[in-house]
């Protein structure tokens, strides 16, 4: 059996996120996000909020996709439709779902980058730093304070690394995860910014 880490499925999935002509496809993108959820399980209670948030947004987008898979084959088609119908800013819109899903993934990429670049940091430090660089500015007071409390429950770093390593080279996989996923997330932000919807805040 090949050596595997907790990132192996999502790294495999990332190879299929774009169509031949370079468009991000809905189902493969959502599948990659789903494959990252088991990584969050390894954080335990600290990531419970993030996990349910991500799960909810994936479900919202998947539900819309399943109503017409050929119409919504491309990830941004849902957003374009909502922009035309002037429903994109609604709190239950797919646009909102994609935006928060992307932001949550930004947080994770930043977190794993911190774990690579700052071997001396505790898990709480790595989490808090990546939170302040990504989600914090979009969160209201309530979300922000519950997040801060949750981060205090972050697991012991060495134990966590051991759990996610499996039988593979975890540092190489984290590096791959950050460098491969980041450009896809950036593309989401660039698209959302092009329709004026990248800076929506939480209520």
């Amino acid at each position: 059996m090949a050596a595997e880490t907790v990132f192996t499925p999502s790294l495999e999935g990332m190879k299929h996120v774009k169509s031949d002509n370079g468009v991000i496809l809905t189902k493969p993108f959502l599948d990659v996000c789903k494959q990252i959820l088991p990584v969050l399980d390894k954080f335990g209670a600290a990531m419970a909020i993030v996990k349910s948030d991500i799960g909810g947004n994936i479900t919202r987008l998947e539900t819309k996709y399943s109503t017409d898979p050929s119409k919504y084959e491309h990830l941004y088609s849902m957003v374009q439709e909502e922009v035309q119908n002037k429903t994109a800013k609604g709190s239950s819109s797919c646009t909102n779902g994609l935006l928060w899903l992307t932001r949550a993934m930004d947080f994770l990429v930043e977190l794993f980058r911190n774990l690579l670049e700052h071997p001396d940091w505790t898990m709480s430090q790595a989490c808090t730093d990546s939170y302040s660089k990504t989600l914090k500015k979009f969160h209201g007071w309530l979300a922000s304070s519950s997040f801060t409390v949750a981060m205090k429950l972050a697991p012991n770093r060495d134990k966590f690394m051991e759990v996610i390593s499996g039988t593979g080279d975890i540092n190489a996989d984290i590096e791959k995860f950050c460098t491969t996923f980041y450009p896809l997330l950036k593309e989401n932000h660039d698209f959302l910014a092009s329709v004026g919807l990248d800076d929506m805040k939480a209520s």
Side-chain angles (χ1 to χ4, degrees):
M1 203 181 98
E4 288 202 352
T5 70
V6 81
F7 288 106
T8 306
S10 64
L11 290 172
E12 190 47 50
M14 283 180 208
K15 297 174 185 163
H16 309 290
V17 166
K18 285 193 166 186
S19 67
D20 293 341
N21 56 351
V23 181
I24 295 185
L25 301 169
T26 306
K27 179 130 178 45
F29 178 77
L30 295 176
D31 285 346
V32 164
C33 295
K34 269 197 206 156
Q35 286 155 339
I36 293 164
L37 291 176
V39 183
L40 293 182
D41 287 333
K42 309 287 187 244
F43 278 95
M47 288 289 171
I49 316 178
V50 182
K51 190 186 174 193
S52 74
D53 203 44
I54 290 172
N57 286 323
I58 292 173
T59 304
R60 180 188 302 185
L61 295 164
E62 266 185 336
T63 305
K64 182 72 167 176
Y65 169 77
S66 63
T67 61
D68 194 341
S70 57
K71 181 181 177 184
Y72 298 122
E73 184 191 4
H74 298 153
L75 186 58
Y76 305 151
S77 56
M78 303 177 192
V79 176
Q80 282 154 336
E81 183 180 66
E82 289 179 345
V83 169
Q84 276 162 352
N85 299 338
K86 308 223 183 310
T87 56
K89 289 186 173 166
S91 60
S92 60
S93 71
C94 289
T95 304
N96 198 296
L98 178 61
L99 177 62
W100 285 101
L101 178 58
T102 303
R103 286 172 177 172
M105 294 296 156
D106 289 339
F107 163 70
L108 292 176
V109 166
E110 200 57 54
L111 170 54
F112 283 107
R113 194 172 276 155
N114 277 342
L115 290 174
L116 268 191
E117 291 175 2
H118 301 281
D120 53 323
W121 283 10
T122 64
M123 185 61 94
S124 282
Q125 273 176 295
C127 288
T128 306
D129 178 81
S130 55
Y131 178 64
S132 65
K133 283 182 189 153
T134 55
L135 288 165
K136 192 176 171 131
K137 56 179 169 289
F138 302 113
H139 273 172
W141 178 82
L142 190 68
S144 187
S145 46
S146 46
F147 210 93
T148 309
V149 171
M151 289 306 114
K152 294 191 168 45
L153 306 169
N156 169 284
R157 177 184 172 134
D158 294 340
K159 216 178 204 141
F160 173 80
M161 293 303 272
E162 199 177 306
V163 171
I164 66 170
S165 292
T167 54
D169 178 348
I170 189 63
N171 285 353
D173 274 8
I174 289 178
E175 175 74 45
K176 235 182 282 176
F177 172 76
C178 294
T179 50
T180 315
F181 205 27
Y182 176 78
L184 297 171
L185 300 174
K186 182 169 181 338
E187 206 165 310
N188 285 356
H189 285 300
D190 291 345
F191 170 73
L192 288 161
S194 75
V195 289
L197 295 168
D198 195 44
D199 52 1
M200 287 195 284
K201 285 187 163 57
S203 46

